[in-house]
Amino acid sequence: MNKEIAIERLNEVIKVDTTSSTPADFLATHVPFRRIKLKHGGGLGMDFEEVSEEDIWERYVRSPGERHQFVVVQGANGTGKSHLIRWLDTKFKAQPTDGEIVIFIRRSDNSLKGTIKQLLTLKELQNLPHRDVYERLVAAGRPVNPQELKNELYHALLAKVQTDITNGNTDILKRNQKKKLLSLLSNQTFCEAYLMKPNDLNAPIERIYRRVATDGQLKGYNEEPARFQPSDFYLSEEFVERLQNDQADGKAIDFVYELLEPEDERPAATATYLNQFLDSVIQKAAGIHPGDFESIFAEIRHELYLHGERLTLLIEDITAFTGINESLLNVLIDEHTGTTDGAGSERCRLSSVVGTTTQFYGEFRDNFRNRVTEEIYIEDTALTADRDDALLELSARYLNALSLPASDLATWAEEGALAEKLPIHQRVEQSYWPTFTLPTGQVLSLYPFTALALRNLVAGMREGQRTPRYFLTDVMRPTILHVIKDTLVAFPPVYTGTKPNLQWQNTEDRIYIMGQCSEEEQERLNRFVCIWGDGTAKQIEQDNISYLAGIPLPIYQELGFPNIHGRKYTTANTNAVSPLSSVTKKVASVTQNTAKTPTKYDSQRENLDKWLNGDVLMDDRNEIRNDLSDFLCSAINWQEEGVSFDHLNKIVGEKTGAANRLLAIERCSRGEGIYQLPARLDTYRIIDCLLKWRHLGQCSWTFAGAEEALYYATAWLYKIKDEVVQTVKESTANMEGTSAYAECALSVVVCCHMLSGGDATPQTLAQTIFAQDLSVPLSSANNLHCKDWNNLLSYLNKRPEVADAMGVAHDYFNIKQSRYPATKTFFNLSALQKSLDRLSKHDYLIPDAEELGKDDSIGARKTTLKPAGHIAKELPKVVAAEQAFWQDKMQPIIDAFDLEAKDLISFNANILVEFAVALEDFFQAMGKANKRNCVAKIKPQHVRDIRNNADKIAIAVRQAAVALEPGKIQVILPQLAQASLGDIKPLLDILQLAEDSIKKTVDAMPGEPPMPKGYVSPLADDRDLVTQKANCALAQLDSLREALSL
Amino acid sequence: MFKNSINAYATPIRVYQMLLLVKQGNCTRDIAKTKFCPQPGDRDMVAPVISLAIELELLEEKEGNLILTQEAQSSTALQSMTYFRRWCNAKAFSKPTDLFSRISGIMLKLYDSPETKALIEKNFTTSKKLADYLKNHANMENVADNLRGWRFWASFLGLGVIHEGDKSFNFLPNMYIAVADAIYTAKLKAGTYLAADFFTAIRPFLGIAMPKANEERKLGFALGNGLRTLHESGRLICRHEPDAKTYWELPGTDNPDFPTTISHISLKEGAI
């Protein structure tokens, strides 16, 4: 292939519409139709004879003489009708016949109007009367606004139905049915949802519009006939509801119900009924007045007759433009002999060859079919013909034309386009690439294809699209583009328009070959061996060339594949594989004897083979995934790799009963997982090993071939281990290697530990925290803590996640001997200490805990995040509230002993002893003053309690004082928890009683009886002063004593 | 390693953790017990771990204090689990008469003869045939307990892979990691070696998996698999040069690229 020329010529040579290529390219790439069916007349007879294109040319087209002809060429889309007609035109031009005017009418101009336009350019018609008028008439374009035209079509259709209801000209539907149909067609909801559904190219009116529009903007090869189809009236129950909701006319709703009747043919009848109006609807909407053009055409024929000319019309396609075609058909069937019509009594002979699809031809009216003189049927194409050479010739001719300058072919065409003189490009590729020899003996290169590649690529095309047109666009063009862009190292391309079979003849061959290739190259090699080759590992020697899978080995090297070699076969023990050989039928192989009843392994292996070739892997019982998971879980030393068994168990669903999320297999019927096994040979092989282990070895590695399977399983493990471990580690948020969920669990545990009064020094925490069974501190019922404190404890006691966190914190850091539950603990001290150190920097709180699991797909890793988050949010508030609570409690002590808050830190038991003494003195004084009843509530036992528990109370006061100091939560919290309000309570109670007693005493003092005899209360002198002193005395016992002992 | 019995408490990671704690200093048995096993009932696990660390010449006990040996302090052994494994691989088979070596010698050759292949069943920890064979050929008692401990180290040292699934328990020999560690420890540089020289260099570390000097030059399945994995992963190249005077036989494989006899081994720069 000459890439420089091919780059320039690609768009010229490979054209979707072959009729638009240059005559030279057309002829150079033309592959003769060798099997065309021909029938005389257009009736229903089946007497076809098989003829060649040369027969058609000679017998019916070259010189029909005075014979009127209306020849129809029919065939499916893309079979080459246009190509044949174009070829006939080219032949005509190359070998003109005197007195015969040949007009080729393209698909884009196949109306009567278009035909006349072309005819008016003939020199023979220069003197045609009124020629200038006709020219203006046919040249007048009608500006078409798409929506306007669609509306015109729609309203013309409604008018037709309305007229038919009135006149009753048709009988496909009954009158009342027509009325209902009209009501439905007029309904806006129906219009918007079906008839003229916006942006739906297949909506009926849109479909018809696209055939009518002549603005040239509608591209593509949508050859859907401009017809109503039964499916246009397949409506739904929901639609009835919509109509009812919209309060549609009852007749419309009735008709929809009729359309919905099962087994009723109403949709088909409705389509047929409406189709009968389409021709005139289209003509009206397109502004065509057929009678005018038919008259003009008759005049033209008369004029040509006068010049002694005969007319041949070669019409590429009459599938399109339904309504417009009718007038064209009318003139084509009009013979030149017979009655006159007033436009001219004598008309030239008309011979026409008209292309149409088989489907459309079926809709020809009888009066047209009866006038068909010959019916030509193109049944198969170069691609569907049961012969290799047609496809190879087509390809070779295109490849040759691509590598030749246009001028070379133009010269050849001008010189008569003789087959034996077809220019052949100079090959530049290696001689190993296959060639094709034309019947003339000329050798054309097939580079970059092989015969197998061409056949396989065509076989992969969708049924109905295996035509030269799609072959050129979907196979030839992408392949050539790939090559000329110098991307041979990625060759062959991945095709979108064809899905060739990528199945090897047997899986062992595939494994054998792919094992020699890197993972990155496997897909490409797979494509190459299966499409370009025969999908085997067969290597043979022929004429000193080694072939692998039917492809010469040097080609593999040229394409940049690694040095691969196949299984050696001599030509004696295998059928010789030729690079041009046909595709041998590929059969999915199962290693077992297929005559036997398939074993479980056989069926699973077949499942696996199909998966490798693109199907879904059926694993509804999760057996395959579980076996793979078990293999990885047991074969990897997870703890040594830094993954705790607790973490692994959460992923595989151990204990939790959740789905195993370790692995997912691409295209598998079940299962999601964090480590994806791609649908590649590697995965295929490890699954196959484990299938053998399970089914052939009954869960042991003792089956035939176990050594190789065992080897592969271990080698695969060593290859993927690091990636699996890394994936597991990164599958959740982690903090320097420790999973976030474990760190959250640890946070919960340490906070509970602190709330229980446990010391949180990180250096010793590791050994103290787990020394006892972990538990949540119980909430106190007797108001020994603030409300917030108690609320938090209540939360911790109620939430099951908190108890879970206790277990997680332990299990995560425990080094176990297996991933199953352990009874003993041996901590992974380095990891545990690292986490504690890290947590201690933040008071063991993780404020964003809940965020950490936001995207985690594994539920078991989320349970600890919530309590950790809650604690992180609440604990600082709880500590503040608890401090305030304690400040309240301590205030009476501060006041009573006239202290500063900071003095509490050194609160001494002696103070309390002295206080007890003072109280006793006070009692005595009150006794002397005969006021004992004022202090009746303070019992001697109270005072003894203070005296006897002075140390305990003092410690509690000091502890509370520490907790009131500003500082880190991890320091304050344990102190707050340890500070015992119960210990301080006797002091607080007696202070309260003392205060009450003093008040009572003060109230009783001013000279009131009972007073000891001879005692004159100094208080009586100045009651206000004494009251003031007494109040001050409350804050200072000495003053109190002094005041009372006065 | 493990002279007469293999205590399953002494797993590789526990030994490594013990060494990391000792490395921090001020460690006694009691401290280690308290730290690793806060619950008193679990503390019997610590002694076997300390014993093995001592056996591996990484730890010693002086006047009641646990300290790292001079060798351990000056080596890279505690830099990571990989270095620790290499250290252990260098020491594990230094005494072929130790129980760990005796069991390994048998387990690594299970696939090498029909007689030993017949011992392979679904679960090697409960297989009576294998237990009886090990009793006689490895001169051992308490087979189940010893095997339980052996598997941790066999797997960690890279003698093969443990496969556990559906109540089965298997050992799949492939000395990929052990051979790579031996090459590292033997300080073999990149270059091409005669197979004989190569095997002589790694024999001190992998002698249990190799034929004795007077036996035929035939490598077993476990070592062969290890070499093949190294070869296929591109870390070394095994080949048979046609004019080589001596060569070693390997078990047959499905890989046409991997020779069945080798005369030379090439090590790639930086691959080990």
Side-chain angles (χ1 to χ4, degrees):
Chain A
M1 173 181 283
N2 185 322
K3 291 182 187 173
E4 287 74 32
I5 298 175
I7 291 169
E8 299 291 324
R9 298 264 290 141
L10 185 65
N11 290 333
E12 288 170 17
V13 176
I14 298 187
K15 291 202 163 196
V16 177
D17 179 6
T18 57
T19 58
S20 61
S21 56
T22 66
D25 287 340
F26 178 81
L27 288 170
T29 56
H30 175 68
V31 178
F33 292 89
R34 294 190 179 113
R35 285 168 56 190
I36 300 171
K37 289 184 173 175
L38 176 95
K39 191 184 77 174
H40 300 289
L44 299 173
M46 298 297 284
D47 300 329
F48 284 102
E49 65 171 307
E50 201 168 287
V51 295
S52 68
E53 62 181 24
E54 286 291 337
D55 292 335
I56 303 281
W57 160 248
E58 289 292 342
R59 284 158 60 182
Y60 300 103
V61 184
R62 185 177 194 180
S63 52
E66 284 304 312
R67 190 171 74 240
H68 170 86
Q69 290 192 134
F70 177 31
V71 181
V72 169
V73 179
Q74 57 149 317
N77 283 335
T79 44
K81 303 178 295 290
S82 303
H83 194 94
L84 177 64
I85 293 168
R86 165 87 192 269
W87 179 77
L88 293 171
D89 178 50
T90 311
K91 289 287 274 187
F92 247 121
K93 290 198 168 74
Q95 300 170 37
T97 307
D98 284 346
E100 191 77 39
I101 291 173
V102 181
I103 305 274
F104 179 69
I105 298 168
R106 294 179 186 280
R107 176 184 279 116
S108 56
D109 207 13
N110 64 353
S111 63
L112 178 53
K113 189 171 154 183
T115 307
I116 292 170
K117 199 155 67 177
Q118 283 199 49
L119 286 169
L120 289 175
T121 62
L122 295 172
K123 66 178 184 335
E124 291 82 354
L125 297 181
Q126 294 308 304
N127 298 319
L128 180 70
H130 317 301
R131 184 171 172 275
D132 55 336
V133 177
Y134 299 156
E135 272 182 340
R136 281 202 299 278
L137 189 62
V138 294
R142 184 170 178 271
V144 180
N145 171 308
Q147 194 51 49
E148 192 183 323
L149 184 48
K150 283 182 222 172
N151 288 338
E152 281 182 22
L153 285 167
Y154 169 64
H155 289 294
L157 187 69
L158 292 183
K160 277 285 175 190
V161 176
Q162 180 66 64
T163 309
D164 187 48
I165 292 169
T166 310
N167 299 340
N169 290 336
T170 67
D171 56 4
I172 295 172
L173 294 180
K174 291 177 185 166
R175 192 162 182 269
N176 69 333
Q177 290 171 337
K178 291 174 190 171
K179 285 182 175 175
K180 289 177 188 173
L181 172 62
L182 182 63
S183 174
L184 178 65
L185 293 175
S186 310
N187 180 275
Q188 196 177 346
T189 309
F190 178 71
C191 235
E192 287 170 0
Y194 290 96
L195 206 56
M196 296 172 75
K197 188 176 179 185
N199 304 320
D200 181 359
L201 297 184
N202 204 33
I205 297 295
E206 176 72 30
R207 210 160 54 222
I208 296 162
Y209 157 74
R210 293 175 77 81
R211 285 293 178 213
V212 176
T214 53
D215 56 1
Q217 291 171 7
L218 300 173
K219 306 287 183 195
Y221 280 83
N222 178 5
E223 293 186 357
E224 284 292 317
R227 284 274 187 271
F228 282 98
Q229 293 162 359
S231 57
D232 294 333
F233 299 96
Y234 294 159
L235 308 180
S236 63
E237 298 277 0
E238 289 74 33
F239 182 66
V240 178
E241 279 180 33
R242 271 184 70 184
L243 287 180
Q244 286 167 338
N245 291 340
D246 293 347
Q247 297 184 320
D249 181 12
K251 287 199 283 291
I253 296 172
D254 280 355
F255 196 73
V256 177
Y257 274 124
E258 288 175 23
L259 289 168
L260 285 171
E261 280 292 312
E263 295 177 24
D264 195 297
E265 293 181 353
R266 191 64 47 86
T270 306
T272 310
Y273 172 74
L274 293 175
N275 281 339
Q276 62 190 333
F277 305 126
L278 277 187
D279 287 344
S280 54
V281 163
I282 291 169
Q283 284 172 3
K284 184 171 186 298
I288 294 163
H289 307 286
D292 298 346
F293 288 115
E294 285 173 31
S295 303
I296 297 167
F297 192 76
E299 274 194 44
I300 289 171
R301 285 182 69 181
H302 177 68
E303 188 72 13
L304 291 175
Y305 173 80
L306 294 178
H307 283 81
E309 299 286 350
R310 287 162 296 195
L311 180 62
T312 293
L313 293 179
L314 299 171
I315 303 172
E316 182 189 359
D317 177 26
I318 207 165
T319 310
F321 299 17
T322 310
I324 301 162
N325 288 155
E326 187 165 337
S327 53
L328 180 56
L329 288 172
N330 279 336
V331 300
L332 295 182
I333 61 173
D334 188 14
E335 297 187 19
H336 57 290
T337 56
T339 57
T340 60
D341 56 6
S345 56
E346 291 161 323
R347 283 158 288 176
C348 73
R349 186 230 63 200
L350 176 62
S351 172
S352 54
V353 180
V354 179
T356 185
T357 60
T358 304
Q359 186 189 1
F360 188 73
Y361 185 60
E363 294 178 15
F364 263 37
R365 286 194 201 154
D366 283 349
N367 64 324
F368 291 134
R369 288 186 78 130
N370 291 338
R371 309 290 278 277
V372 170
T373 53
E374 266 77 34
E375 199 178 298
I376 291 170
Y377 183 53
I378 301 177
E379 193 173 46
D380 49 20
T381 70
L383 272 64
T384 54
D386 188 20
R387 55 201 175 99
D388 268 347
D389 58 347
L391 171 63
L392 301 189
E393 182 177 347
L394 178 77
S395 309
R397 282 179 175 278
Y398 269 96
L399 292 165
N400 183 52
L402 272 171
S403 288
L404 286 169
S407 56
D408 286 12
L409 288 175
T411 308
W412 167 73
E414 282 164 15
E415 289 171 356
L418 297 174
E420 59 276 14
K421 291 198 173 171
L422 175 71
I424 309 295
H425 81 277
Q426 186 67 40
R427 295 183 71 186
V428 292
E429 60 272 8
Q430 289 190 69
S431 60
Y432 302 107
W433 287 93
T435 56
F436 178 78
T437 306
L438 294 174
T440 54
Q442 292 158 297
V443 178
L444 302 181
S445 172
L446 281 176
Y447 176 87
F449 294 99
T450 61
L452 281 175
L454 291 165
R455 296 292 292 165
N456 287 337
L457 289 166
V458 168
M461 293 165 72
R462 273 195 292 278
E463 194 120 6
Q465 290 190 351
R466 273 178 221 143
T467 63
R469 177 189 298 163
Y470 287 107
F471 171 72
L472 292 174
T473 55
D474 294 348
V475 174
M476 188 68 86
R477 175 184 283 277
T479 313
I480 304 296
L481 267 175
H482 209 80
V483 171
I484 60 182
K485 282 182 179 168
D486 249 347
T487 45
L488 278 181
V489 286
F491 189 86
V494 177
Y495 295 92
T496 52
T498 174
K499 282 189 178 170
N501 185 3
L502 294 177
Q503 192 165 342
W504 291 57
Q505 290 201 27
N506 68 65
T507 310
E508 282 69 24
D509 277 6
R510 182 177 189 153
I511 291 169
Y512 186 87
I513 295 295
M514 291 302 168
Q516 302 172 51
C517 180
S518 69
E519 259 181 35
E520 297 71 39
E521 284 283 39
Q522 284 182 5
E523 278 190 29
R524 182 168 84 97
L525 182 59
N526 191 51
R527 287 200 299 275
F528 190 65
V529 172
C530 288
I531 304 173
W532 260 245
D534 62 6
T536 70
K538 281 180 192 166
Q539 182 165 336
I540 60 159
E541 302 290 325
Q542 222 174 20
D543 303 327
N544 294 325
I545 300 173
S546 294
Y547 291 86
L548 170 61
I551 307 165
L553 273 176
I555 291 181
Y556 289 87
Q557 286 154 17
E558 182 186 338
L559 296 177
F561 288 112
N563 283 330
I564 40 178
H565 37 129
R567 290 173 156 162
K568 290 273 166 74
Y569 285 73
T570 61
T571 46
N573 67 9
T574 183
N575 293 328
V577 180
S578 153
L580 288 178
S581 69
S582 300
V583 178
T584 50
K585 193 174 181 186
K586 292 175 184 175
V587 181
S589 80
V590 175
T591 50
Q592 305 302 303
N593 182 350
T594 49
K596 287 191 303 184
T597 309
T599 63
K600 186 80 194 288
Y601 172 73
D602 293 338
S603 56
Q604 283 289 51
R605 172 69 179 266
E606 196 182 341
N607 174 24
L608 192 60
D609 284 340
K610 285 180 180 169
W611 169 72
L612 191 58
N613 290 305
D615 282 2
V616 168
L617 181 68
M618 301 309 295
D619 187 27
D620 290 343
R621 292 174 59 202
N622 275 331
E623 195 174 77
I624 293 173
R625 280 200 330 132
N626 285 343
D627 283 348
L628 275 165
S629 170
D630 284 347
F631 181 69
L632 287 178
C633 286
S634 56
I636 293 175
N637 299 308
W638 290 97
Q639 295 183 125
E640 282 79 358
E641 297 289 346
V643 177
S644 159
F645 274 142
D646 181 76
H647 189 186
L648 183 65
N649 284 340
K650 286 192 162 32
I651 293 170
V652 299
E654 189 75 38
K655 284 206 306 188
T656 63
N660 187 334
R661 293 291 178 87
L662 181 61
L663 292 168
I665 303 170
E666 187 182 349
R667 283 206 319 273
C668 182
S669 63
R670 287 200 59 184
E672 291 171 9
I674 56 174
Y675 185 74
Q676 291 280 336
L677 288 171
R680 283 209 307 252
L681 197 61
D682 274 7
T683 310
Y684 171 94
R685 291 189 70 183
I686 183 62
I687 294 175
D688 186 43
C689 290
L690 291 173
L691 287 178
K692 285 175 177 164
W693 163 81
R694 172 171 283 282
H695 298 295
L696 302 182
Q698 307 300 318
C699 297
S700 75
W701 296 87
T702 54
F703 48 90
E707 288 90 337
E708 192 60 25
L710 176 161
Y711 169 75
Y712 185 77
T714 53
W716 178 79
L717 175 86
Y718 288 134
K719 191 169 152 194
I720 65 151
K721 186 191 74 181
D722 289 347
E723 199 177 285
V724 174
V725 169
Q726 200 57 27
T727 305
V728 165
K729 285 181 179 173
E730 290 171 359
S731 67
T732 184
N734 72 79
M735 297 160 175
E736 294 173 48
T738 300
S739 301
Y741 81 87
E743 202 119 317
C744 286
L746 201 54
S747 160
V748 173
V749 168
V750 176
C751 289
C752 286
H753 178 72
M754 291 191 293
L755 282 164
S756 300
D759 176 53
T761 310
Q763 291 75 17
T764 54
L765 197 51
Q767 65 195 74
T768 55
I769 197 170
F770 295 107
Q772 288 91 36
D773 289 337
L774 296 168
S775 63
V776 181
L778 293 172
S779 40
S780 64
N782 48 3
N783 297 326
L784 295 178
H785 289 284
C786 69
K787 190 180 165 199
D788 289 348
W789 181 287
N790 285 328
N791 284 348
L792 179 61
L793 293 193
S794 168
Y795 169 89
L796 295 174
N797 278 286
K798 279 181 190 163
R799 304 296 298 191
E801 297 95 330
V802 176
D804 281 352
M806 304 278 171
V808 167
H810 173 271
D811 292 351
Y812 186 89
F813 294 102
N814 188 17
I815 300 173
K816 300 195 290 182
Q817 286 173 300
S818 76
R819 62 190 174 100
Y820 304 110
T823 53
K824 294 198 169 207
T825 303
F826 191 111
F827 277 124
N828 183 333
L829 208 54
S830 60
L832 176 59
Q833 192 59 55
K834 222 158 81 177
S835 286
L836 288 171
D837 289 344
R838 193 168 37 242
L839 280 171
S840 75
K841 291 176 190 158
H842 308 283
D843 279 329
Y844 300 100
L845 300 179
I846 306 175
D848 59 344
E850 290 188 65
E851 284 295 301
L852 295 171
K854 206 171 56 180
D855 302 322
D856 202 332
S857 59
I858 294 167
R861 293 194 301 212
K862 290 181 175 179
T863 56
T864 61
L865 310 184
K866 196 162 187 171
H870 184 82
I871 290 173
K873 191 173 139 202
E874 295 300 321
L875 201 57
K877 288 191 267 179
V878 168
V879 168
E882 185 73 358
Q883 281 186 316
F885 171 82
W886 272 98
Q887 259 156 8
D888 260 11
K889 296 290 177 195
M890 299 301 278
Q891 196 57 47
I893 300 173
I894 292 170
D895 293 344
F897 298 101
D898 194 22
L899 303 171
E900 297 286 327
K902 63 179 170 48
D903 299 333
L904 290 175
I905 206 94
S906 53
F907 192 81
N908 197 296
N910 288 338
I911 299 172
L912 296 174
V913 174
E914 283 174 21
F915 175 58
V917 170
L919 277 175
E920 281 164 355
D921 290 350
F922 175 50
F923 292 153
Q924 281 178 12
M926 291 303 282
K928 281 180 192 169
N930 203 15
K931 295 282 183 189
R932 190 59 191 254
N933 61 322
C934 293
V935 291
K937 285 193 177 172
I938 304 177
K939 308 288 184 203
Q941 184 58 41
H942 287 136
V943 183
R944 277 201 298 277
D945 283 350
I946 297 295
R947 188 198 296 275
N948 294 342
N949 294 311
D951 283 338
K952 196 171 155 191
I953 294 169
I955 289 170
V957 169
R958 288 200 299 272
Q959 206 144 34
V962 172
L964 291 174
E965 290 283 305
K968 296 183 79 174
I969 288 175
Q970 60 188 282
V971 177
I972 298 163
L973 184 59
Q975 297 292 341
L976 282 171
Q978 284 169 18
S980 172
L981 192 58
D983 290 346
I984 299 173
K985 199 165 181 298
L987 174 61
L988 296 174
D989 289 347
I990 207 164
L991 288 175
Q992 183 64 49
L993 289 173
E995 187 182 344
D996 293 346
S997 302
I998 289 167
K999 277 182 185 165
K1000 217 180 241 180
T1001 305
V1002 168
D1003 287 343
M1005 277 296 174
E1008 298 298 323
M1011 280 189 295
K1013 193 178 176 183
Y1015 177 79
V1016 179
S1017 172
L1019 301 176
D1021 294 342
D1022 189 342
R1023 190 173 185 278
D1024 290 339
L1025 179 66
V1026 172
T1027 305
Q1028 193 186 345
K1029 278 190 175 179
N1031 279 334
C1032 289
L1034 286 174
Q1036 201 170 7
L1037 276 174
D1038 286 342
S1039 310
L1040 174 68
R1041 193 171 47 191
E1042 195 181 319
L1044 293 175
S1045 56
L1046 283 175
Chain B
M1 193 164 83
F2 294 117
K3 191 172 182 186
N4 288 317
S5 68
I6 302 177
N7 191 312
Y9 288 151
T11 63
I13 186 168
R14 285 178 178 169
V15 174
Y16 185 68
Q17 284 291 319
M18 176 64 72
L19 292 163
L20 291 185
L21 176 68
V22 172
K23 192 180 172 187
Q24 292 174 6
N26 294 328
C27 191
T28 63
R29 279 180 185 264
D30 284 344
I31 290 173
K33 281 178 183 174
T34 317
K35 289 198 177 249
F36 283 116
C37 309
Q39 303 270 12
D42 299 340
R43 291 176 183 164
D44 57 334
M45 292 192 288
V46 173
V49 173
I50 293 173
S51 295
L52 188 59
I54 292 171
E55 217 179 328
L56 286 167
E57 298 169 20
L58 290 166
L59 191 69
E60 56 190 349
E61 197 167 12
K62 277 187 181 166
E63 297 163 1
N65 289 319
L66 296 172
I67 53 170
L68 293 184
T69 60
Q70 199 57 44
E71 229 180 334
Q73 288 176 43
S74 59
S75 76
T76 55
L78 300 184
Q79 270 185 14
S80 70
M81 282 299 282
T82 304
Y83 283 106
F84 174 62
R85 189 195 66 221
R86 285 173 176 163
W87 176 280
C88 296
N89 256 324
K91 304 281 178 188
F93 305 109
S94 55
K95 291 178 185 162
T97 54
D98 281 357
L99 184 59
F100 185 76
S101 296
R102 300 199 310 265
I103 297 176
S104 301
I106 290 167
M107 298 301 285
L108 289 172
K109 289 174 182 167
L110 276 183
Y111 283 85
D112 289 346
S113 73
E115 181 200 7
T116 49
K117 259 193 199 180
L119 303 172
I120 301 165
E121 290 182 346
K122 183 173 175 177
N123 190 326
F124 77 63
T125 57
T126 58
S127 163
K128 187 168 184 313
K129 277 195 290 186
L130 181 64
D132 290 344
Y133 186 88
L134 282 168
K135 271 184 189 171
N136 295 330
H137 291 78
N139 185 23
M140 66 189 280
E141 296 301 322
N142 301 323
V143 174
D145 289 345
N146 285 319
L147 269 186
R148 199 170 299 123
W150 175 83
R151 67 182 167 136
F152 295 126
W153 286 91
S155 172
F156 174 65
L157 297 176
L159 305 183
V161 161
I162 299 295
H163 176 207
E164 206 179 345
D166 209 358
K167 295 174 188 162
S168 76
F169 210 104
N170 298 277
F171 173 67
L172 316 182
N174 181 337
M175 299 179 73
Y176 168 67
I177 289 171
V179 175
D181 283 357
I183 293 169
Y184 173 84
T185 309
K187 295 188 170 65
L188 292 177
K189 303 273 183 244
T192 298
Y193 296 84
L194 284 173
D197 292 343
F198 176 85
F199 290 126
T200 302
I202 64 169
R203 181 180 285 280
F205 316 109
L206 298 176
I208 48 144
M210 294 170 67
K212 295 189 176 73
N214 56 350
E215 290 175 345
E216 57 180 330
R217 294 191 192 92
K218 202 170 178 179
L219 296 177
F221 185 62
L223 191 54
N225 278 350
L227 287 170
R228 181 179 167 189
T229 311
L230 284 163
H231 175 95
E232 287 179 357
S233 62
R235 298 174 73 182
L236 55 71
I237 296 167
C238 297
R239 65 173 184 280
H240 187 160
E241 294 205 347
D243 54 351
K245 287 178 187 164
T246 57
Y247 59 86
W248 293 66
E249 276 184 54
L250 289 164
T253 73
D254 276 3
N255 181 356
D257 266 352
F258 189 65
T260 49
T261 54
I262 51 175
S263 61
H264 290 76
I265 291 176
S266 300
L267 296 180
K268 288 197 176 172
E269 186 73 53
I272 302 290

